[in-house]
Amino acid sequence: MKAMICAVLAVTLLAGCNINDRRLFDGVPFAPKVRKVDRALDEITISVKGASRSIEGAQQAAVFGAVDYCVNLYGSSDIEWQIGPDTPVDQLNLQNDTLVFRGRCPDGR
């Protein structure tokens, strides 16, 4: 898990050097979408379209989106994953070429 977060942070730093100002994950541009689950701010799903271009890149993008959301809302990068970076590839939630992760930001309660 720590390696995945480090990889995402490294990619993020390198993405900042991109002339087009797009984030690249495993060399592929992805735009993760983070959504609340049932109005609960701490329960989230993260979807990444075009996952077949790079499953690893899509996973990195999903982690990036979740970490960004949790840090901005709760000040912590800790995430309790139901479906996340440690989920085996053959068990990932892929729907119509979209990778979907699900997790919870600990809210400090």
Side-chain angles (χ1 to χ4, degrees), residues 22-37:
R22 294 186 304 170
R23 287 195 174 89
L24 300 178
F25 301 92
D26 194 32
V28 180
F30 287 108
K33 303 276 190 238
V34 180
R35 292 185 176 84
K36 301 176 287 188
V37 175

Side-chain angles (χ1 to χ4, degrees), residues 98-109:
T98 300
L99 173 71
V100 180
F101 276 8
R102 184 178 177 123
R104 180 179 171 278
C105 306
D107 63 3
R109 286 189 233 164

Side-chain angles (χ1 to χ4, degrees), residues 59 82-84 86-94 99-101:
Q59 290 174 305
Q82 286 86 37
I83 301 171
D86 295 331
T87 303
V89 173
D90 62 334
Q91 295 177 15
L92 289 175
N93 187 356
L94 286 166
L99 173 71
V100 180
F101 276 8

